[in-house]
Structures are given as structure tokens and as C-alpha cells.
Amino acid sequence: TAGVIMPEARRKKLVDLANEYDLVIVEDDPYGKLRFDVDHIKPIKSFDDEGRVIYMSTFSKILSPGFRLAWTIASDELSRKMIICKQALDLCTNTFTQFIVNDFMRSGSLDLHIMKICEMYKPKRDIMMKAMENYFPDGYVCNKPKGGMFAWATLPEGIDTEIMFLDALKEKVAYVHGKAFSVDGSGGRSMRLNFSYANSEKIEEGMKRLGAVIDKKLKVIC
């Protein structure tokens, strides 16, 4: 679910279970540094004493999408195998981009940049949450994201967000339907909404249009 943060106690428990059942955990953490209402929480990798957690993150979400530059922390054995796979795919990541990011980090600018974008995203999140309250029909559920770039909304019974997507596009509003994040076809009433890109006025108008689309669908169902 977008914007939900796993408590540290559950993170540690997850590692304990992986140790008990001989499992590997892939911790994909592109948004972990984009926090609005919570302090730093230790990554799952920090509780890993047996090399079972592969930690991954990216500069695409905290610095520049165009760089397509990421990093991973894993055991030596897993890292060697990942490097072989990486070489088979594209030989190596753009070295010029790596030098740019390296210099930016050495200058001490990255933390300040992350603070800046969090200050930009938080009010946009609040505008989206308020717009949902104003324009979405009764019966929807959306937890207030504590970080990241997205909100996860679940609509009333009877609505399929994959089918409704084409209706939303006609109103020039886009989202990612919930089934896209599922392996078993669940999430049919859910959608992921982005608040990081559009300005405040477009977020407000977008939620207004989307609310009208949802309301129209509900009237057909009823």
C-alpha cells in the first residue's frame, strides 16, 4: 500500500522468519528517504546478520529520474551473481552519470535536496487528501501517506478501476489500477495516485474530475 511504513518491530520479525525458514528477502526501497510525518526507520537490511536481505534503492526518486542510477547492498555471493546478470543486460551503468552523482553527494548536497523535495511533496499530499474528501463519493478508503509520492485509494464495492481507467482518461486523468500490483488479480477496487508531479491546481482539478467519474460509475451500478 502506497505511503504505509512497516514498523521496525515487524521488520525485525520478517528477518527472523527468513532465518527460520531459509528465505531471501528483497527490500526494494526507492521511497524510504521521502518521509513527511515520521523519523528515520531502520531498513530491514540493518537487522540482517546472515546475508539474507538484498537491499535496493535508487537516485531516480531522490535526485533525478533521468539518471536511472541505483544501488544495492547484498552478500558477496549474491552480489557476484547480480553483477554477472547486469553485465549480460547492458555491460555497465553509465559512468558519467555515476561521476555526477558521486560529486553531488561528496558536496553534501543530497540530504539538503531530499529535504527540499519532501517540503514540496508534503503540501501536495495534503491537497490530494483534502480533494478526495471534497470530491470522492462516500465509501472510499485512503490512508494518509507518511511518505513517498503516491496515495492508495480503495473505492466502494462494484467498481473495477481497471475498467474505469478508460473513462478517467477521457477526462484527462490517469492512475495505476490496483491489479497491476497484484499477482492474484486482487486490488480491483484500488488505484495508485501520484501527487509529486502535478501542481496544486492540477491535483485539485484532477481529483474533482476523478470523483465525478467514480460517482457516475456508482450511479450505473446502483
Side-chain angles (χ1 to χ4, degrees):
T1 302
V4 175
I5 297 175
M6 180 186 291
E8 284 191 6
R10 290 189 64 186
R11 294 171 184 233
K12 187 176 186 305
K13 179 63 176 178
L14 188 61
V15 174
D16 291 340
L17 289 171
N19 292 338
E20 180 179 353
Y21 292 101
D22 192 23
L23 302 174
V24 173
I25 298 172
V26 178
E27 183 177 10
D28 186 15
D29 188 30
Y31 311 106
K33 292 187 177 296
L34 302 180
R35 300 182 302 273
F36 309 141
D37 304 317
V38 293
D39 295 327
H40 173 71
I41 294 182
K42 294 179 181 178
I44 298 171
K45 181 65 179 175
S46 66
F47 302 105
D48 179 26
D49 297 324
E50 299 186 11
R52 296 185 179 278
V53 179
I54 302 172
Y55 180 87
M56 302 186 300
S57 193
T58 176
F59 292 102
S60 296
K61 302 299 186 292
I62 60 174
L63 182 55
S64 172
F67 282 167
R68 312 312 298 170
L69 182 63
W71 73 92
T72 185
I73 304 172
S75 67
D76 290 343
E77 180 184 2
L78 287 171
S79 294
R80 283 193 295 269
K81 293 179 180 180
M82 292 168 68
I83 290 171
I84 292 172
C85 291
K86 171 70 172 172
Q87 290 172 337
L89 289 171
D90 60 6
L91 293 182
C92 67
T93 301
N94 185 298
T95 52
F96 181 60
T97 299
Q98 294 182 61
F99 276 115
I100 293 174
V101 174
N102 178 66
D103 286 351
F104 190 76
M105 293 180 68
R106 285 181 178 274
S107 72
S109 300
L110 183 60
D111 288 341
L112 293 175
H113 179 71
I114 292 172
M115 288 176 59
K116 180 179 179 180
I117 57 178
C118 285
E119 290 172 357
M120 292 174 57
Y121 292 168
K122 183 177 179 179
K124 289 184 175 185
R125 174 208 61 182
D126 294 340
I127 290 169
M128 178 172 280
M129 294 298 102
K130 185 63 177 177
M132 284 188 195
E133 292 179 14
N134 291 337
Y135 302 120
F136 277 28
D138 293 339
Y140 84 94
V141 176
C142 183
N143 294 324
K144 190 174 185 179
K146 297 179 180 178
M149 302 176 173
F150 307 101
W152 183 266
T154 299
L155 304 181
E157 291 285 350
I159 289 186
D160 186 318
T161 54
E162 182 178 11
I163 295 174
M164 191 181 73
F165 180 71
L166 294 178
D167 296 315
L169 278 185
K170 292 177 182 178
E171 299 299 324
K172 301 191 182 300
V173 179
Y175 56 80
V176 183
H177 62 80
K179 292 179 186 177
F181 302 94
S182 170
V183 296
D184 60 2
S186 60
R189 293 190 292 127
S190 299
M191 61 174 72
R192 191 182 75 169
L193 300 162
N194 174 270
F195 53 77
S196 65
Y197 180 73
N199 61 36
S200 301
E201 291 75 17
K202 287 186 176 180
I203 292 174
E204 177 85 16
E205 179 63 24
M207 293 300 96
K208 183 178 180 180
R209 295 184 186 186
L210 186 55
V213 171
I214 298 169
D215 191 51
K216 185 177 180 179
K217 279 289 184 183
L218 286 174
K219 288 179 179 177
V220 171
I221 294 170
C222 295

